[in-house]
């Protein structure tokens, strides 16, 4: 066995576009995307519940697709477009339809799993703007929540679709 | 008149922050802190013979490595026994770092502090610990046999043995026309909040003070424990529970070893130190619950009335008993539910095993008690060929018998006395909701279509709002902002909202003006914690009383300013006005200025106040003898005993005739927690509770092997339900106000999960036609039971009317 104790880890400069803004930080190759976002870029909205890809709390959008940021290295996200929960609201005045739906439908309790649900549902509604209740349940069935029993999250998905349509009609 | 806030389904005020990524959970704090990681025992029972850190110490970025040898003062002593109980004859607690013996996999053995968590874990990998393995005790049967011992000091692995009896149970059972015995089993599960535990400590060497952030359910408890362990004055220690990502009980245990070690290291290194638990650590070193074996003997009459009930419980308390024997005490008392047996005896043994500790998990011993009682009710109904709901109602305590004293001592050491409840009314509502009387027809239809369905029922009574006390403080600023604080913590229950609702209602102010702080010892130093569905009852009532004090003071000052009798005043939207004379009014913000005579006209309210500054009596001091400056009030609420909420659940399940897959088709809940502050939040608590109950009934178990290794220590292998496994929950409420507290409320946090295991067992049994005595149950286990039943090894139910064939079809 070679003695590697004195080896200094190689640091890489990693640049991502996060929530529409180019962000650069230096981190070793093994830094998980979740940790990079949370600790290097200080976007702590993305949460880590398991670090093994099962709970979905760390879900962010990579080029619009929901991905588990605990299963990606930050360096592999180089030059990609990342959306975190901090980037879902259109502006400081208004929440996104999914965020608003969660507050209206009591779709969260402790809020720890919530960012992962919000990003997942946001991407889903782009593909299916009019889900049925069964589809709404299906859409969230890859994310764990220990608090809500999911019922109000299902309701939130349906309400978010409604709000999106209301806003489109109003615009 | 403003809309009433108490009782309204107000949207939560915490949500806008949480849905935009602006929550601040433990790991969101302390970006620049050093990171701690732990070497944990890979063996369930072993003697540490050597620890070699030489390969780890010069890993780039490592700041310090600590083992037991490094601990000093009280940190080197055993962790405290939080709740000593006289029957706990062999209590045992662990150490912050194990000195010699390890008693479960996951016990901390060494601590590394480094510049970064990745590096800290690298160093942990390089620490060589040598162990001499010792015989391992896993499971209640092994513990009970006493062949191998977890602790030499505890013969027979018995930590505690307790007996409570009302009446002469043996005689009552012997004299009863009918007798039955049941042997029941229930497995371990765990709270599994989505956020694990975490501690972040900041040592201030100038002030010689410590600030600790912990994802705890009791910041005052952690503060006191750390001060004691580190030998610091309480005044120099602060503890704050930030946003906490769920607790469900596991975060009421304290101090966890890490809660002692992280602050200790921060002081020693004069640096900020943080530790955030990862999921595997949570599985193997944070507490579990539920595991029990139960023997029931019951005597009853032809109507199904219980004349004598004798229960023996063997409770798995894991390797140590830091939280005492609260769990089996609760099981043994709350087992009685809404019923009144003629005579009752419960005897339990709390046993050591070489597994992680057992402390309260949502429901805290109640799911097991309800399981024992409801399985018994079903067995009686089956024996007599009676309707299961009828047998239950035969045994109900009647509304006119309230308050009802069981003659037993509850977990708080006070009489087990129900304050209110209307069980017949609840049952009627449940039968209506689930369509109890139409089920036979539904079953016949399903059977005709080749489907197998069953209906289950379960009733419970839950002691909530246990003492000793909580407090509330309210201060109105000169801007009209109302600051409310209480010492107990929040883990997602919506305390910020419900406490604001109470204050808005009591004080007559707008919700937007109310700002609630919980679990911060800088703001409120006296508190117990959030557990046992006590937050709304305890802090809610304390805050209401504090609000009444502030209101009284505000009206008194306003009365002077407006030259009116305080009795003629009302407060609406933060304005005090003379009833019937809208012109005569003064804002609470102005009263806040008036209340503090040392004033300068620093803002608009202060300017407005000057117009009311009449000529005081020159013989009196500006602040009267029994007065204090400032518009604030404080009060405490301390109940004589717990308040008892109750509920009844029913479920319809379908079991696949071929695969034995179990599907919950409907789940119905009747819930009575007295007056509801916010029905939307109560519903949310019920939904979440049922989901956890479903997990416990069908999926979750702690798969320890014989060597004490937890084989399913990940979310991949521990099957926590997703949306696809949790049924839609149909609810209805009954509100029987508690006569014990000013707001008439009872706790609602745990109710949802309490009867679920019993209900699902009842429904599966009803579908299959043979008894279900061990839970949780998987399709494989059900499939095996079918075969055993078909082979005649497992007797069927006795019900004459059944038509379901239970022989496996494949
Ligand atoms: S933290 Fe990434 S899936 Fe759980
Ligand atoms: S809201 Fe707490 S885990 Fe989902």
């Amino acid at each position: 066995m070679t003695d590697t104790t004195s080896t200094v880890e190689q640091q890489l400069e990693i640049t991502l576009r996060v929530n529409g803004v180019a962000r650069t930080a230096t981190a070793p190759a093994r830094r998980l995307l979740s940790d990079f976002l949370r600790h290097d870029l200080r976007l702590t909205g993305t949460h880590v519940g398991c670090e093994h890809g099962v709970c979905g709390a760390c879900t962010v959008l990579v080029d619009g697709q929901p991905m588990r940021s605990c299963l990606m290295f930050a360096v592999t996200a180089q030059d990609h477009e990342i959306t975190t929960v901090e980037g879902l609201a259109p502006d400081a005045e208004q929440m996104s339809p999914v965020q608003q739906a969660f507050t209206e439908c009591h779709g969260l309790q402790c809020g720890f799993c919530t960012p992962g649900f919000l990003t997942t549902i946001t991407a889903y509604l782009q593909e299916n703007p009019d889900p049925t209740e069964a589809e709404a349940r299906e859409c969230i069935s890859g994310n764990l929540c220990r608090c809500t029993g999911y019922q109000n999250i299902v309701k939130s998905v349906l309400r978010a679709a409604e709000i999106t349509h209301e806003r489109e009609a109003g615009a | 008149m403003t809309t009433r806030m108490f009782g309204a389904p107000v949207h939560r005020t915490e949500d806008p922050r949480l849905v935009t990524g602006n929550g601040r959970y433990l790991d969101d704090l302390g970006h620049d802190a050093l990171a701690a990681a732990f070497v944990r025992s890979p063996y369930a029972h072993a003697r540490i013979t050597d620890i070699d850190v030489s390969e780890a110490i010069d890993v780039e970025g490592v700041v310090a490595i600590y083992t037991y040898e490094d601990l000093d003062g009280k940190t080197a002593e055993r962790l405290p026994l939080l709740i000593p109980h006289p029957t706990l004859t062999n209590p045992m607690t662990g150490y912050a770092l194990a000195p010699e013996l390890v008693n479960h996999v996951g016990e901390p053995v060494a601590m590394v502090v480094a510049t970064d968590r990745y590096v800290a874990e690298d160093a942990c990998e390089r620490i060589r610990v040598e162990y001499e393995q010792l015989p391992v005790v896993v499971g209640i049967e092994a513990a009970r046999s006493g062949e191998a011992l977890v602790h030499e000091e505890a013969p027979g692995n018995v930590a505690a043995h307790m007996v409570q009896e009302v009446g002469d149970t043996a005689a009552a059972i012997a004299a009863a026309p009918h007798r039955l015995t049941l042997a029941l089993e229930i497995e371990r599960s765990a709270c599994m909040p989505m956020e694990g535990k975490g501690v972040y400590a900041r040592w201030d060497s100038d002030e010689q003070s410590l600030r600790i952030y912990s994802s705890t359910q009791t910041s005052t408890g952690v503060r006191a424990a750390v001060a004691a362990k580190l030998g610091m004055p309480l005044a120099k220690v602060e503890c704050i529970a930030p946003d906490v990502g769920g607790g469900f009980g596991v975060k009421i245990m304290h101090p966890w070893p890490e809660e002692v070690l992280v602050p200790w290291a921060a002081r020693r290194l004069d640096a900020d130190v943080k530790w955030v638990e990862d999921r595997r650590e949570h599985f193997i070193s944070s507490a579990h619950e539920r595991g029990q074996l139960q023997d029931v003997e019951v005597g009853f009459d032809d109507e199904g009335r219980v004349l004598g009930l004798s229960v023996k419980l063997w409770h798995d308390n894991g390797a140590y008993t830091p939280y005492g024997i609260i769990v089996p005490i609760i099981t043994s008392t709350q087992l009685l539910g809404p019923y009144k047996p003629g005579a009752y005896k419960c005897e339990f043994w709390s046993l050591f095993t070489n597994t992680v500790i057992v402390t309260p998990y949502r429901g805290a011993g109640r799911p097991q008690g309800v399981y024992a009682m409801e399985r018994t009710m079903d067995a009686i109904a089956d024996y007599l060929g009676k309707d299961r709901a009828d047998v239950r109602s035969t045994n109900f305590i009647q509304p006119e018998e309230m308050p009802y004293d069981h003659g037993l001592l509850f977990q708080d050491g006070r009489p087990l006395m129900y304050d209110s409840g209307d069980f017949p009314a609840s049952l009627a509502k449940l039968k209506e909701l689930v369509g109890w009387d139409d089920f036979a027809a539904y079953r016949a239809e399903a059977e005709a279509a080749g489907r197998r369905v069953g209906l289950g029922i379960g009733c419970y009574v839950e002691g909530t709002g246990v003492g000793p006390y909580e407090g509330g403080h309210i201060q109105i600023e000169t801007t009209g902002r109302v600051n409310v604080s209480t010492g107990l913590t929040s883990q997602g229950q919506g305390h910020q909202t419900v406490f604001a609702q109470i204050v808005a209602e009591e004080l007559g102010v707008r919700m937007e003006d109310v700002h609630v702080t919980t679990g911060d010892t800088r703001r409120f130093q006296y508190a117990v914690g959030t557990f046992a569905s006590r937050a709304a009852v305890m802090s809610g009532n304390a805050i209401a009383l504090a609000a009444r004090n502030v209101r009284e003071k505000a009206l008194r000052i306003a009365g002077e300013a407006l030259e009116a009798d305080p009795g003629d005043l009302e407060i609406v939207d933060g304005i005090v006005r003379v009833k019937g004379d809208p012109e005569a009014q003064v804002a609470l913000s102005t009263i806040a200025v008036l209340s503090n005579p040392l004033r300068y006209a620093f803002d608009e309210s202060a300017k407005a106040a000057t117009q009311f500054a009449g000529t005081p009596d020159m013989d009196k001091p500006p602040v009267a003898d029994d007065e204090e400056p400032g518009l604030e009030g404080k009060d405490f609420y301390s109940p004589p005993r717990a308040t008892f909420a109750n509920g009844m659940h029913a479920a319809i399940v379908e079991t696949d005739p071929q695969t034995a897959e179990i599907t919950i088709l409907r789940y119905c809940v009747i819930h009575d927690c007295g007056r509801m502050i916010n029905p939307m939040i109560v519903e949310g608590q019920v939904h979440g509770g049922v989901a956890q109950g479903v997990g416990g009934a069908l999926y979750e178990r702690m798969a320890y092997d014989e060597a004490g290794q937890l084989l399913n220590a990940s979310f991949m292998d521990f099957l926590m339900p997703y949306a696809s496994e949790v049924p839609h929950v149909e609810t209805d409420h009954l509100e029987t106000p508690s006569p014990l507290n000013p707001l008439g409320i009872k706790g609602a946090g745990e109710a949802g999960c309490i009867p679920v295991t019993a209900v699902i067992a009842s429904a599966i049994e009803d579908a299959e036609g043979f008894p279900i005595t061990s839970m949780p149950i998987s399709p494989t286990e059900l499939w095996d039971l079918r075969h055993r039943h078909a082979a005649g090894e497992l007797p069927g139910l006795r019900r004459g009317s059944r038509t379901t064939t239970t022989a496996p079809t494949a």
Side-chain angles (χ1 to χ4, degrees), chain A residues 1-9 28 30-36 38-57 68 85-89 95 98-100 102-115 117-118 133 137-138 140-152 154, chain B residues 11-12 14-16 18-25 27-28 31-32 55-56 58-60 116 118-119 122 126 128 189-196 243-246 248 274 278-280 283 361-362 491-494 680-681 683-685 687-689 691-692 695 700 713-716 718 720-730:
Chain A
M1 202 182 116
T2 48
D3 181 11
T4 53
T5 50
S6 56
T7 310
V8 178
E9 265 187 287
R30 63 174 170 167
R31 179 81 92 234
L32 298 176
L33 177 59
S34 49
D35 287 340
F36 186 76
R38 290 179 46 74
H39 300 303
D40 297 302
L41 302 185
R42 302 205 169 179
L43 289 168
T44 55
T46 299
H47 295 156
V48 173
C50 70
E51 253 185 313
H52 50 257
V54 184
C55 75
R68 315 229 138 164
V85 66
E86 288 94 340
L88 292 181
M95 289 187 226
V98 187
Q99 289 171 320
Q100 189 188 323
F102 266 66
T103 65
E104 286 180 16
C105 304
H106 190 24
L108 65 152
Q109 289 183 23
C110 76
F112 197 79
C113 68
T114 311
F117 277 93
L118 295 172
E133 186 168 340
R137 203 168 261 277
E138 176 73 26
I140 59 162
S141 65
N143 290 55
L144 284 172
C145 171
R146 194 55 158 168
C147 298
T148 61
Y150 307 105
Q151 192 155 323
N152 288 342
V154 172
Chain B
H11 290 169
R12 302 203 322 169
E14 38 277 85
D15 291 354
L18 301 180
V19 298
T20 50
N22 287 307
R24 286 295 175 270
Y25 301 85
D27 190 38
D28 304 343
H31 283 289
D32 301 319
E55 272 187 54
D58 45 53
V59 169
E60 178 82 22
D116 166 279
Y118 290 56
V119 173
D122 286 347
R126 288 162 174 268
R128 309 265 167 258
S189 184
C191 300
M192 259 340 120
M194 292 306 297
E195 183 204 30
D243 286 322
V244 173
F248 315 114
K274 181 166 81 169
D278 71 24
R279 190 51 59 183
R280 181 173 158 77
F283 271 101
Y361 162 31
R362 197 177 199 175
Q491 305 88 44
Q493 301 92 335
M680 181 190 80
I681 287 178
E683 287 269 311
Q685 291 295 315
H687 295 169
Q692 280 183 318
E700 298 169 9
S714 83
F715 280 162
M716 204 88 80
F718 175 80
M720 228 158 82
Y722 286 97
S724 38
E725 283 77 45
V726 177
H728 181 86
V729 180
E730 302 163 55

Side-chain angles (χ1 to χ4, degrees), chain B residues 440-462:
Chain B
Y442 174 77
R443 185 209 297 275
E445 228 174 82
E447 277 174 4
R451 295 169 55 212
R452 194 178 288 188
V453 295
L455 172 63
I457 183 173
C459 310
Y460 68 91
V461 169
E462 177 196 5

